[in-house]
Amino acid sequence: MEILSVRGALPEHRYPQEVITDAFAGVIARGGLDEQLLRRLHANAGVRQRYLAMPLSDYADLADFGQANDRFIEVGVELGAQAVADALKEAGLTPADVDLIISTTVTGLAVPSLDARIAGVLGFRPDVKRVPLVGLGCVAGAAGVSRLNDYLVGHPDEVAVLVSVELCSLTVQRDDVSVPNLVASGLFGDGAAAVVAVGSARETPITDGPGRVQVLGSRSHLYPDSERTMGWDVTSSGLRIVLDANVPNMVRRYLAADVDGFLEGNGLARADIEWWVCHPGGPKVLEAMQDALEVPRAAVEMTWDSLARIGNLSSASVLHVFEDTLRDRPPRPGSLGVLLAMGPGFCSELVLIRMADE
């Protein structure tokens, strides 16, 4: 499979981190809140600013999960459609060219799913195939690319699209003063992203985009006895975050062996990889990735930059880092890279990619 374009989309409401911190301190349950802890966690999140689905002043007026989910559908469809439209335009294709759309989200519920609603907005063909992925969380950007590849290997003359929509701010629980909720309130932002890819037999127009990327293979790893490492508890008030402080240790324990085994299966070693596209899980997770991969901060600088500029967008984040890399730090033609993310399960997804020759 060949990736023709990767495009992100962000809401219009942008705020500095300290403004979001002040606002959140004013609406979270006051009785047991340790405000000094809240401010320290937000300041140490590695985030300079974030984009939110709504004006900051509107969050205090959300009465329940139903209202938050209504906004998720409204804003999510708009952002997702924008990302897909931009990616198709960059690829020189139209909505009528799309044979398959995969959607991924973990921050809201929509039935019909987001892919069906986006297909209606953009005018996809009525025979378009749809695959909604729900529950993968932060790993889903990389896993979605893998599933695109799986499909296009069997349908080499077709066009497939992945769209990720995550509106994390709508899930923050105002009655939860636990450390995981305080961490999440300072780390996660809102956004969408889309990938357009074609099978090996599909002829496509040459465009002025930042370059095409070939997907050479992928590997998934579901870790044992790790279900409570990351995820949601679904409650009457909405989605309550599960986030174990042990995540960085999980990265250090598993990631190096995962990457080495994956590369060895493709006749490669870490020294053959010239560029890394990593999900920005947070400062401690990124430091653990650097340690596990034995690479300097410069090797994942695009990920650190993305975390600072937009926060962690769950599944959409690694795709934003992918877009930024292709646009701002284009890899050498023919060079090999790895796209990777980790998320609920607990699990990892690795994708071997190659910058197409000029």
Side-chain angles (χ1 to χ4, degrees):
M1 141 178 145
E2 190 168 62
I3 294 173
L4 303 185
S5 61
V6 185
R7 290 297 299 267
L10 297 166
E12 61 179 315
H13 311 292
R14 177 172 60 90
Y15 298 95
Q17 177 79 331
E18 58 270 20
V19 173
I20 296 175
T21 302
D22 290 342
F24 187 64
V27 300
I28 195 169
R30 300 299 302 175
L33 174 64
D34 183 339
E35 188 167 330
Q36 286 188 332
L37 175 62
L38 167 71
R39 293 187 180 279
R40 185 169 73 252
L41 291 172
H42 279 217
N44 293 336
V47 178
R48 186 174 65 249
Q49 62 180 19
R50 283 180 281 167
Y51 293 78
L52 303 182
M54 305 190 303
L56 200 49
S57 58
D58 289 359
Y59 283 86
D61 297 328
L62 290 175
D64 53 31
F65 179 44
Q67 284 191 6
N69 201 67
D70 287 345
R71 294 306 299 268
F72 166 80
I73 294 173
E74 175 190 349
V75 179
V77 171
E78 178 183 344
L79 279 179
Q82 178 187 335
V84 172
D86 290 346
L88 285 171
K89 182 178 180 181
E90 184 174 291
L93 297 171
T94 71
D97 293 315
V98 177
D99 300 292
L100 169 82
I101 179 171
I102 297 176
S103 67
T104 181
T105 187
V106 75
T107 51
L109 303 174
V111 181
S113 52
L114 291 178
D115 45 88
R117 297 167 190 261
I118 291 169
V121 169
L122 295 181
F124 283 16
R125 301 193 318 263
D127 66 342
V128 68
K129 295 177 279 288
R130 301 183 294 110
V131 181
L133 299 179
V134 178
L136 290 177
C138 295
V139 79
V145 172
S146 297
R147 303 295 79 80
L148 282 184
N149 185 54
D150 292 343
Y151 175 82
L152 288 171
V153 166
H155 301 81
D157 60 344
E158 293 193 3
V159 175
V161 170
L162 167 68
V163 59
S164 162
V165 177
E166 303 289 11
L167 304 182
C168 306
S169 69
L170 295 173
T171 70
V172 173
Q173 300 293 297
R174 286 175 288 170
D175 65 344
D176 181 3
V177 296
S178 68
V179 170
N181 192 53
L182 299 185
V183 169
S185 70
L187 180 63
F188 290 98
D190 300 340
V195 176
V196 175
V198 294
S200 59
R202 177 80 180 208
E203 293 187 4
T204 56
I206 302 299
T207 65
D208 295 328
R212 301 184 178 197
V213 177
Q214 298 162 341
V215 174
L216 305 181
S218 66
R219 178 173 292 182
S220 306
H221 188 177
L222 181 61
Y223 305 126
D225 303 319
S226 60
E227 290 181 13
R228 295 297 294 176
T229 301
M230 182 183 294
W232 296 126
D233 284 331
V234 181
T235 71
S236 59
S237 62
L239 304 174
R240 192 175 295 259
I241 193 160
V242 175
L243 187 60
D244 195 307
N246 196 41
V247 171
N249 292 333
M250 296 278 287
V251 174
R252 289 187 173 92
R253 178 179 178 183
Y254 288 111
L255 186 60
D258 283 352
V259 170
D260 289 343
F262 175 49
L263 294 176
E264 287 170 10
N266 287 275
L268 301 167
R270 265 188 261 173
D272 297 308
I273 303 304
E274 295 188 24
W275 47 295
W276 300 89
V277 180
C278 302
H279 170 72
K284 291 183 179 180
V285 173
L286 273 176
E287 289 167 357
M289 282 187 175
Q290 290 172 210
D291 292 345
L293 298 173
E294 298 178 311
V295 297
R297 177 172 172 136
V300 290
E301 195 65 44
M302 301 304 296
T303 299
W304 282 102
D305 289 348
S306 182
L307 178 65
R309 285 187 294 103
I310 61 177
N312 181 339
L313 308 187
S314 188
S315 67
S317 256
V318 76
L319 302 180
H320 277 260
V321 175
F322 198 5
E323 178 191 20
D324 294 344
T325 300
L326 297 177
R327 183 190 63 236
D328 300 332
R329 195 168 156 179
R332 179 181 62 82
S335 62
L336 295 172
V338 170
L339 175 81
L340 69 90
M342 306 178 85
F346 191 65
C347 65
S348 67
E349 189 79 22
L350 308 175
V351 187
L352 181 61
I353 48 183
R354 178 184 181 273
M355 197 70 192
D357 297 322
E358 290 180 330

